[in-house]
């Protein structure tokens, strides 16, 4: 059966195959079935999040990278990192589509009582610990929301030092129909991550023109223009995060509205880079696939 599929595909000279799957076994199988010069492979995470099987997965993905010639990534930073290691390959990127979970009626909060949101499944590299510690040390009346499932909540719960009344914790799976509610309540999305290749919460914030506070890692530095649509702080620096939150909490309504306008402008620019069909057609034409 496999040989039949292989021969059927290889006989069609005008057939271009787009292959996207995060299952490495699937990719390895098709590295044998598909012609290298007529296949485009979509990759989400060229730089993988650290884990117990990272080295093994890197070995297998290296086979895929060497087998095929053409690749699609879902951020410019991932594409550039790939080409720096595989300069003989061809690649292009599109940005992930923005995530819309329904209309919202934005809540208005006064300077000194703004709301800071940490959203999504909680993993160590996202540094919720920094977010919680900052919530315990800010000198202003900022409020905080933590919304997302966690497999090790006791570890984070121990970081509270008596100021839990300014933090709303929703430690559970957040259903799609609930997501807009949390972004409606927030004035800022906070991303204190140590690393990221893509970020679902970031694309939700973009969709709702919600200003972002994030670390200065490559992905966020391309999406957050400091002082224009949000603020950046140095990765892992708790004191810098506290200072940034204090500043963001205290700015005037006019300054905050300027951040929202900056985010809406960034959203419009971003949406121009999410057209998969147009980008694919241009790549095929440029490379004469």
């Amino acid at each position: 059966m496999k040989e039949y599929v292989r021969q059927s595909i290889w006989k069609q000279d005008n057939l271009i195959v787009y292959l996207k799957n995060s299952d490495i076994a699937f990719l390895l199988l098709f590295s044998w079935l598909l012609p290298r010069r007529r296949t485009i492979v979509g990759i989400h995470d060229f730089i993988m999040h650290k884990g117990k099987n990272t080295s093994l997965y890197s070995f297998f993905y290296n086979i895929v990278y060497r087998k095929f010639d053409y690749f699609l990534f879902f951020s410019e930073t991932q594409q550039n990192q790939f080409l720096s290691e595989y300069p003989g390959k061809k690649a292009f990127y599109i940005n992930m589509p923005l995530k819309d979970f329904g209309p919202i009626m934005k809540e208005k909060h006064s300077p000194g009582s703004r709301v800071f949101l940490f959203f999504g499944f909680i993993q160590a590299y996202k540094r919720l610990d920094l977010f919680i510690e900052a919530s315990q040390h800010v000198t202003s009346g900022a409020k905080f929301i933590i919304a997302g499932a966690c497999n090790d909540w006791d570890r984070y719960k121990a970081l509270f030092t008596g100021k839990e009344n300014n933090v709303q914790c929703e430690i559970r799976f957040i259903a799609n129909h609930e997501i807009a509610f949390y972004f409606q309540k927030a004035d800022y999305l906070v991303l204190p991550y140590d690393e990221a290749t893509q970020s679902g919460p970031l694309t939700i914030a973009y969709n709702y023109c919600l200003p972002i506070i994030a670390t200065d890692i490559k992905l966020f530095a391309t999406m957050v223009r400091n002082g224009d649509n949000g603020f950046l702080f140095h990765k892992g620096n708790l004191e810098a995060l506290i200072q940034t939150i204090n500043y963001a909490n205290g700015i005037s309504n006019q300054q905050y509205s300027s951040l929202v306008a900056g985010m809406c402008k960034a959203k419009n620019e971003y949406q121009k880079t999410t057209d998969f069909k147009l980008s694919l057609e241009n790549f095929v034409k440029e490379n004469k696939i």
Side-chain angles (χ1 to χ4, degrees), residues 278-289:
L278 178 61
S279 297
L280 180 62
E281 289 175 350
N282 289 338
F283 182 76
V284 169
K285 183 178 180 180
E286 290 170 4
N287 291 280
K288 300 178 180 178
I289 301 174

Side-chain angles (χ1 to χ4, degrees), residues 145-184:
I145 298 174
I146 302 169
C150 181
N151 294 328
D152 190 19
W153 176 241
D154 286 343
R155 168 195 168 194
Y156 295 103
K157 189 176 180 179
L159 297 173
F160 289 101
T161 60
K163 293 181 66 176
E164 293 90 336
N165 61 326
N166 69 335
V167 185
Q168 176 184 347
C169 298
E170 298 290 342
I171 310 306
R172 57 183 177 81
F173 173 75
I174 308 299
N176 284 352
H177 71 271
E178 301 177 277
I179 292 175
F181 169 79
Y182 290 102
F183 282 80
Q184 174 175 293

Side-chain angles (χ1 to χ4, degrees), residues 203-221:
T203 58
I204 302 172
Y206 253 64
N207 181 69
Y208 292 119
C209 295
L210 182 69
I212 295 170
I213 295 173
T215 52
D216 55 359
I217 60 176
K218 284 185 178 180
L219 173 65
F220 297 153

